[in-house]
Amino acid sequence: MRQVLNIAYYESLHVFKDKIILLLILLVPALYTLLFGAVYFSAVLTDIPLAVVDLDRSGLSREVVAAFKNSPKFKVTGEISTYEGLQEGMKTGAVRAGVVIPENFEKKALLRRGTEVLTVYDASNLIWGYNTRKYALEVINHFSTGRTAAYLAGLGMTEREIKGVLDTVSCNLDVWYNPTYSYTTYLFLGLVMMIIHQICLLGVSLTVTREKDRNSWMQYIGAALPRWKIFLGKCLPYLVINFFNYVLLLWLSARLINVKAGGSMGLIVLLGLLYGVIITSAGFYFSARAPNSLQVTRYVMLLSVPLFIISGYTWPMTHIPGFVEGPARLLPYTWMAEAIRTVTVKNLGFGYVRGAILALSALSVLSVLLAVNFDRRRKPPRAGGPVINSGSGYPQEGP
Amino acid sequence: MTVVTVADAVIKVTDLVQKIGRKTVLNGLNFAVARGECFGIFGAGGSGKSTLLHILAGIDRFSSGSVEVFGYDAGKSESFKKHTGLVTQERSLFQDLNAGENLDYIAVLKNAPRENIPGLVRRFELEKILGEPAGTLEDGAYKRLSLACALLNAPDLLIVDELTQNIDLHSRQIILKELSAFLSGGGTCVWGFGEPALLERMTGIGWLEGGRLTVCPPGEAQSVWEENYARLPECGEEK
Amino acid sequence: MITQCLSIMRREIFYLWRDKGLRWILIAGPLLGILLFYSTYSRQVLKDIPTAVVDLDRSGSSREIIAQIKNSEDLEIVARPGNFDQLEELIKQGKIVVGVVIPENFAENVLLGRQARVEMILDGSNMVYATGATGALLKITRAAGARAGIKTLVARGVQPDQARNAYQAIVFREEPWFNPTLNYAFFLVVALALNVWQQCCTLAACMNIIGETGLNSWRQVKAAGISRFKLFFCKSLAHIALFMLTVLPVYVLAYAVFNFPLHCSFAVLLLFTLAFAVALHGVGTLASSISRNAVDATRFGMIIALPAFILSGYTWPLEAMPQFIRHAVKILPQTWFFQGFNFLTFKNPGWGFMSDYFLALLIIAVACYGTAALIFKVKEM
């Protein structure tokens, strides 16, 4: 153990001497978290720019317009008053939604001749699209109920009677876990888990390649040193830093970004530890296999987008085909993102993350086994024409 | 080539082949090194000396053949590394650590007692450079430090690669003196070099050329060298 | 002059090709990206959200509601738990997203004019599900309320005609523009693939200066006395040409094979992409100029390229970001590119509008190359 701790000590020394890697693993995660936090801080879309094209200008049409004006979700822009103007405004993004009331709307409505109000919304960005659609439907439902009440009042019913009728069937929509439809609560912890994933991987994946770049890897493989000691000693500092980042980022999310984060502390810690072990071992494995720091950095950098998309964290797994889901299930991020949502956002207990914990445990064992069995003999380079940046070393300015 | 059989062999190499890319760098080597020998691998730059020495040290994979060190398979075993020390031709100490830290850390890696460090520092006259970064040391000091690091675990077998080329004379003296001390203490040494002046210091020579290794006594190697290569063609002389 | 330039470009292509990691990243990265994302979003629209119904009434009225859920394209009934607790459990396990509970004596209560509450539960933790499902539920709520209301009114002696009129208020028709089927694949697949593409290109661009000055062969260049401007200009040309070559298969797959909608002409899209490629290469070159080695250059470049998609406002809109971020992200070429890409491919708002985007990319390119050249000069001295 003394040897392991000594290796860990010197590995930390390496990290502390390389200013850029130090910034990368200590500062960048928090910076990214705060940056994304600022981006998603508003959490819900409000003041959606809405154009009203009122071609009727009647009492009824004004009622419709008022319904939209009164909604806090929409912000009616006064500049557009024609259908062509609406088309143009939607094209340039000046407005994201529109209401069009046709000519003779009131007359036809009173005579029960077919007429309709057109609501349009911009679906080129589906975050705009789906939210606007939902808001518009809320306004319409509210407006329709008002119309019904007015009609019944016209029939001579009292307010209490009207209320009785309207309440007969009340559909109560109860939104669990994220009642305000907060985009931040939905997305943020997934992003945080990806930040942790990438930063930890970027750090660890250099641990062996750095030695290869400078030839000192020979000192490790030339000594009679058990593989597990090299692995453990080199990974220990990263495990610690990673867990520190995990806690810090969760704390920042909950405190500064107002992400809904509750749940069992024990589970959060357990998940964080398992996640850290997998990523650290995977990073060590890549590092032991990669020819140099440049190549491993490149590959690791590119992982984030595909891993995030196929994890089912946004586009749900029920709608992802099996041949994508299969590989996604072998990735720690897929399990971790879902589990952290279950624990923190949904505030559910062990029973609901049992599967994820089992999967993450299995992945931990697997990744540690893979990493600890790294090759202690270097392979001679393969045949081929001239190559560059593929052996040990990469372009750097002289001292 | 005949297989040399030595009863008390520290290293035994049989039919060793190493291919790098399409090129066969070592093409069926057979030799053995006995305990207490100072065996020189003599060859020009690019003849495969470093390739061979890295295989003996158990850090490189090889294509075929068998290599035994202290009776262990150098392609698989780790146990023999407890008793070996390696100085590579290229710089392989920790660049971002200073000299003292290198000694300390490599002692850790080798699981060698730290008490060995002060003696080596004294013998190799490293006191003044202990605080300097290993990456910026001059070649002579760097080689002294490398050899000191290799000796940290008091090895029985020392594998060194081009130890004395292009270094200052003082460092060269120290290194040669310490190597003699190591050998007279019963140690075995395999030494890759390209300087003919060192031929006479060896107890046996493996002449590495064209992927083949010819084993001969130092005297014979010396005369081959003198007959064929010692006299340089004069300017303007036709072959 | 031209031959010298061509030789430099040829050598640069060789350089990138012989850097095996980079070779595969450039060739396979964007392609793998679009194929993977196309597969992931192969269902394209978010229909059939898993729904469970608890029918404690088993009456004609309750069946009407269930029929309505069945008819809704957005929802799909996947479970019929026997009671509320079971339904709750299914939501917690994430097996269903929407739960509808029709209470006992529902039909009877409606007839007697007593309150009858239909409970609808929605798991809001994934917004893709939640916003989609809410729309469907709001529509069902309105229709169910109307039907029950009419029944109540008739039961209370109101004329059926009048009762219907009370609920027939006004018809609203909804029209999603630019992406009428609310297709997620149209919205995201190409953009995500382009995100991977711009990351791959950044990796290459980051080698522009340090990949040259960090090698011993830089001494040859110095000794040869060739103008630095010419050298890096030609190198950059080769890089940008390669970037365009690698984006081409993505576009061809997207618009010719997968038949995603494209509202502008292919040429305009390529031209806009070219403008971005130049700006992006400028950023990479800048990162390359300030770095001591290739790994640092890669890190600096990627620290910008990785979050750029999120910051570009392509998904979470710029309008919803705080003021200072909305302005700050405008220095990133990715913001202009992804915004402009959305406008071009979905809306095609015309030259007058798009010229700003071209101009912005141009300014960023000039600023980055200029700064990189300055830094290079200072370092050489």
Side-chain angles (χ1 to χ4, degrees):
Chain A
M1 208 56 210
R2 183 187 67 96
Q3 247 180 325
V4 172
L5 288 178
N6 267 313
I7 294 176
Y9 165 73
Y10 275 101
E11 183 67 23
S12 322
L13 217 58
H14 279 300
V15 171
F16 277 98
K17 281 188 179 172
D18 187 341
K19 292 283 174 299
I20 290 172
I21 195 88
L22 188 67
L23 285 181
L24 194 69
I25 57 181
L26 285 182
L27 208 64
V28 170
L31 264 179
Y32 271 174
T33 305
L34 294 176
L35 181 65
F36 291 152
V39 166
Y40 293 111
F41 193 72
S42 62
V44 283
L45 289 182
T46 51
D47 295 332
I48 291 175
L50 172 90
V52 174
V53 180
D54 183 355
L55 302 175
D56 193 37
R57 301 189 174 281
S58 61
L60 185 60
S61 75
R62 272 189 288 275
E63 268 181 58
V64 174
V65 174
F68 280 93
K69 270 191 177 153
N70 289 336
S71 160
K73 308 291 189 193
F74 291 106
K75 192 175 160 192
V76 176
T77 56
E79 288 126 44
I80 294 169
S81 57
T82 61
Y83 190 73
E84 288 70 33
L86 172 67
Q87 280 180 317
E88 196 52 34
M90 289 282 276
K91 267 194 179 177
T92 59
V95 289
R96 297 288 176 173
V99 178
V100 183
I101 303 166
E103 282 171 29
N104 301 323
F105 167 67
E106 188 179 43
K107 214 184 281 174
K108 282 185 179 169
L110 292 178
L111 293 172
R112 311 269 158 220
R113 283 214 224 118
T115 183
E116 55 188 14
V117 176
L118 176 66
T119 55
V120 302
Y121 52 90
D122 185 346
S124 69
N125 176 339
L126 284 178
I127 294 179
W128 280 121
Y130 269 108
N131 279 294
T132 315
R133 175 180 183 228
K134 174 174 145 289
Y135 296 155
L137 283 167
E138 280 166 1
V139 171
I140 292 167
N141 278 11
H142 187 72
F143 175 77
S144 302
T145 312
R147 289 294 300 165
T148 305
Y151 185 88
L152 294 180
L155 291 181
M157 288 170 91
T158 65
E159 222 169 283
R160 258 191 66 193
E161 282 174 313
I162 295 169
K163 197 168 178 299
V165 172
L166 290 177
D167 279 354
T168 324
V169 176
S170 59
C171 290
N172 185 37
L173 181 57
D174 191 1
V175 181
W176 282 12
Y177 308 130
N178 184 10
T180 55
Y181 292 90
S182 154
Y183 205 76
T184 320
T185 296
Y186 148 59
L187 196 68
F188 203 71
L189 288 183
L191 285 181
V192 166
M193 289 306 125
M194 186 44 84
I195 295 173
I196 301 236
H197 188 278
Q198 287 305 88
I199 296 294
C200 179
L201 214 48
L202 267 181
V204 193
S205 62
L206 298 183
T207 181
V208 178
T209 53
R210 184 184 50 229
E211 311 281 9
K212 287 183 189 168
D213 298 341
R214 300 169 182 172
N215 273 325
S216 45
W217 183 231
M218 287 198 232
Q219 301 290 352
Y220 289 91
I221 56 177
L225 191 62
R227 274 189 279 225
W228 69 267
K229 282 189 180 172
I230 300 179
F231 165 72
L232 194 59
K234 279 192 154 286
C235 286
L236 216 52
Y238 298 99
L239 276 173
V240 173
I241 298 170
N242 186 53
F243 191 72
F244 164 78
N245 272 332
Y246 177 73
V247 174
L248 175 74
L249 265 47
L250 283 180
W251 182 83
L252 284 177
S253 313
R255 275 304 162 90
L256 292 182
I257 327 282
N258 298 325
V259 172
K260 182 186 163 194
S264 139
M265 199 50 87
L267 277 178
I268 292 176
V269 169
L270 177 65
L271 286 170
L273 285 175
L274 286 173
Y275 194 48
V277 168
I278 300 169
I279 302 167
T280 312
S281 325
F284 185 90
Y285 175 75
F286 294 147
S287 196
R289 300 214 51 148
N292 61 50
S293 301
L294 180 62
Q295 300 294 359
V296 78
T297 303
R298 285 173 176 167
Y299 284 117
V300 165
M301 293 268 189
L302 291 177
L303 288 177
S304 60
V305 182
L307 257 51
F308 188 74
I309 297 299
I310 66 171
S311 73
Y313 191 78
T314 50
W315 184 250
M317 210 49 118
T318 48
H319 287 61
I320 294 178
F323 66 93
V324 176
E325 180 180 354
R329 291 272 179 224
L330 295 176
L331 299 168
Y333 179 77
T334 304
W335 294 100
M336 185 63 185
E338 191 54 43
I340 204 79
R341 178 184 273 166
T342 308
V343 173
T344 58
V345 177
K346 301 189 182 177
N347 206 349
L348 295 173
F350 177 77
Y352 300 95
V353 285
R354 190 185 289 125
I357 287 178
L358 270 176
L360 288 172
S361 310
L363 285 174
S364 309
V365 173
L366 197 72
S367 56
V368 168
L369 280 179
L370 263 178
V372 89
N373 279 306
F374 64 89
D375 199 345
R376 249 182 312 191
R377 300 286 190 283
R378 305 182 306 176
K379 285 196 190 80
R382 260 180 290 163
V387 286
I388 189 157
N389 302 336
S390 308
S392 67
Y394 47 84
Q396 45 193 327
E397 282 168 3
Chain B
M1 178 131 350
T2 52
V3 179
V4 188
T5 46
V6 181
D8 196 17
V10 171
I11 295 176
K12 212 171 125 193
V13 174
T14 320
D15 299 328
L16 172 63
V17 176
Q18 174 72 314
K19 289 182 181 145
I20 297 180
R22 286 195 203 92
K23 200 175 149 202
T24 306
V25 179
L26 305 177
N27 190 8
L29 305 192
N30 289 283
F31 68 96
V33 178
R35 191 173 294 281
E37 240 191 299
C38 182
F39 190 79
I41 310 282
F42 180 69
S47 60
K49 290 191 301 277
S50 299
T51 309
L52 174 58
L53 294 172
H54 288 170
I55 291 172
L56 295 181
I59 58 176
D60 278 9
R61 212 164 269 297
F62 49 89
S63 310
S64 66
S66 90
V67 177
E68 276 179 30
V69 179
F70 295 120
Y72 296 101
D73 180 352
K76 291 200 181 81
S77 165
E78 295 298 314
S79 317
F80 71 93
K81 292 180 181 173
K82 274 199 289 273
H83 313 294
T84 61
L86 169 69
V87 180
T88 55
Q89 182 180 6
E90 54 207 332
R91 293 187 166 214
S92 66
L93 297 178
F94 296 93
Q95 278 178 34
D96 54 337
L97 298 181
N98 54 38
E101 288 170 330
N102 262 291
L103 282 164
D104 181 68
Y105 188 39
I106 292 173
V108 167
L109 294 181
K110 294 184 161 208
N111 212 5
R114 282 187 166 126
E115 293 78 68
N116 292 356
I117 298 174
L120 285 164
V121 168
R122 204 175 51 249
R123 276 155 48 204
F124 284 93
E125 299 182 13
L126 299 171
E127 294 90 343
K128 283 192 190 131
I129 58 158
L130 281 181
E132 285 184 39
T136 56
L137 288 178
E138 304 222 345
D139 282 341
Y142 194 91
K143 289 287 178 190
R144 276 186 280 143
L145 178 62
S146 303
L147 185 56
C149 287
L151 290 171
L152 275 167
N153 56 333
D156 297 322
L157 170 64
L158 196 56
I159 299 168
V160 294
D161 196 357
E162 290 291 13
L163 202 46
T164 55
Q165 209 182 22
N166 301 329
I167 64 172
D168 63 281
L169 296 174
H170 181 61
S171 299
R172 186 183 158 98
Q173 288 304 104
I174 295 174
I175 287 172
L176 292 177
K177 193 180 86 193
E178 285 305 323
L179 273 177
S180 304
F182 170 77
L183 289 166
S184 52
T188 312
C189 180
V190 178
W191 188 345
F193 66 101
E195 257 179 292
L198 291 172
L199 281 168
E200 56 176 23
R201 295 187 69 92
M202 310 296 160
T203 57
I205 295 292
W207 189 302
L208 193 56
E209 200 175 348
R212 299 262 174 194
L213 185 99
T214 318
V215 180
C216 56
E220 197 178 305
Q222 187 85 34
S223 43
V224 172
W225 168 263
E226 271 159 19
E227 268 167 43
N228 297 299
Y229 306 104
R231 202 180 74 89
L232 297 173
E234 301 276 332
C235 291
E237 184 185 348
E238 295 289 327
K239 174 108 197 197
Chain C
M1 168 68 201
I2 297 282
T3 42
Q4 199 181 22
C5 193
L6 283 177
S7 301
I8 295 171
M9 287 173 70
R10 200 175 127 235
R11 185 265 172 170
E12 192 57 26
I13 304 279
F14 279 169
Y15 186 108
L16 296 178
W17 178 261
R18 286 170 180 172
D19 186 336
K20 277 195 229 154
L22 204 53
R23 182 205 308 175
W24 289 117
I25 285 172
L26 283 174
I27 295 177
L31 264 180
L32 274 180
I34 191 160
L35 291 175
L36 182 69
F37 301 138
Y38 182 68
S39 316
T40 304
Y41 286 95
S42 56
R43 295 272 296 266
Q44 303 213 352
V45 284
L46 192 79
K47 287 182 176 150
D48 305 330
I49 297 170
T51 304
V53 180
V54 182
D55 183 0
L56 298 173
D57 191 41
R58 296 180 184 283
S59 64
S61 301
S62 71
R63 273 191 290 275
E64 260 175 34
I65 293 184
I66 293 170
Q68 236 185 326
I69 296 172
K70 272 188 186 158
N71 286 337
S72 156
E73 279 190 330
D74 298 323
L75 307 177
E76 192 195 8
I77 299 175
V78 294
R80 292 289 195 97
N83 57 47
F84 185 77
D85 291 342
Q86 287 173 8
L87 179 113
E88 198 173 48
E89 191 57 28
L90 284 174
I91 291 195
K92 283 183 176 172
Q93 289 171 356
K95 298 221 166 95
I96 56 161
V97 177
V98 176
V100 176
V101 183
I102 302 166
E104 279 171 9
N105 307 325
F106 173 71
E108 198 185 323
N109 285 341
V110 170
L111 274 180
L112 294 175
R114 288 196 214 125
Q115 278 226 343
R117 257 167 108 87
V118 175
E119 198 70 36
M120 292 175 168
I121 301 163
L122 169 64
D123 175 350
S125 62
N126 185 338
M127 290 276 285
V128 172
Y129 273 144
T131 45
T134 309
L137 290 177
L138 284 173
K139 281 185 178 170
I140 290 168
T141 310
R142 183 152 45 125
R147 231 190 332 269
I150 292 169
K151 274 186 195 159
T152 320
L153 286 177
V154 172
R156 289 192 181 179
V158 176
Q159 289 293 314
D161 259 6
Q162 282 181 322
R164 265 194 297 280
N165 281 346
Y167 279 94
Q168 218 172 28
I170 288 164
V171 182
F172 287 85
R173 186 160 57 89
E174 65 169 90
E175 241 179 43
W177 279 8
F178 310 120
N179 181 7
T181 50
L182 298 174
N183 190 315
Y184 267 98
F186 293 174
F187 169 42
L188 281 176
V189 170
V190 189
L192 288 172
L194 288 175
N195 184 18
V196 171
W197 169 74
Q198 64 96 8
Q199 292 180 3
C200 294
C201 291
T202 302
L203 289 177
C206 288
M207 297 298 287
N208 196 16
I209 293 178
I210 190 69
E212 202 67 64
T213 57
L215 295 178
N216 287 334
S217 54
W218 178 238
R219 292 180 198 136
Q220 298 288 341
V221 179
K222 274 176 145 175
I226 180 180
S227 119
R228 309 285 193 269
F229 172 79
K230 192 198 256 176
L231 176 76
F232 285 110
F233 179 77
C234 297
K235 274 170 69 89
S236 304
L237 272 187
H239 280 202
I240 292 164
L242 265 188
F243 294 176
M244 293 308 289
L245 263 180
T246 52
V247 81
L248 214 55
V250 172
Y251 284 154
V252 168
L253 270 181
Y255 300 115
V257 180
F258 302 150
N259 284 318
F260 287 160
L262 177 65
H263 288 104
C264 65
S265 77
F266 201 66
V268 171
L269 179 64
L270 278 184
L271 192 65
F272 185 62
T273 311
L274 176 64
F276 171 62
V278 174
L280 183 72
H281 188 259
V283 175
T285 305
L286 183 59
S288 193
S289 72
I290 56 171
S291 312
R292 283 171 302 133
N293 60 56
V295 174
D296 284 353
T298 305
R299 287 180 188 149
F300 293 149
M302 289 308 262
I303 258 181
I304 297 168
L306 286 176
F309 184 70
I310 289 178
L311 299 180
S312 77
Y314 189 86
T315 50
W316 184 249
L318 284 177
E319 288 91 327
M321 294 179 195
Q323 203 83 24
F324 70 97
I325 297 234
R326 204 186 312 168
H327 292 307
V329 295
K330 291 205 170 132
I331 62 165
L332 299 179
Q334 285 93 342
T335 306
W336 294 96
F337 177 61
F338 286 113
Q339 289 288 331
F341 175 78
N342 188 287
F343 276 117
L344 269 181
T345 54
F346 281 107
K347 304 173 176 176
N348 197 18
W351 275 106
F353 183 81
M354 288 310 293
S355 56
D356 283 1
Y357 287 75
F358 278 94
L359 192 66
L361 289 172
L362 207 71
I363 292 172
I364 293 170
V366 169
C368 287
Y369 282 125
T371 319
L374 260 175
I375 292 171
F376 182 81
K377 268 262 149 59
V378 170
K379 267 192 168 180
E380 265 213 325
M381 292 192 308

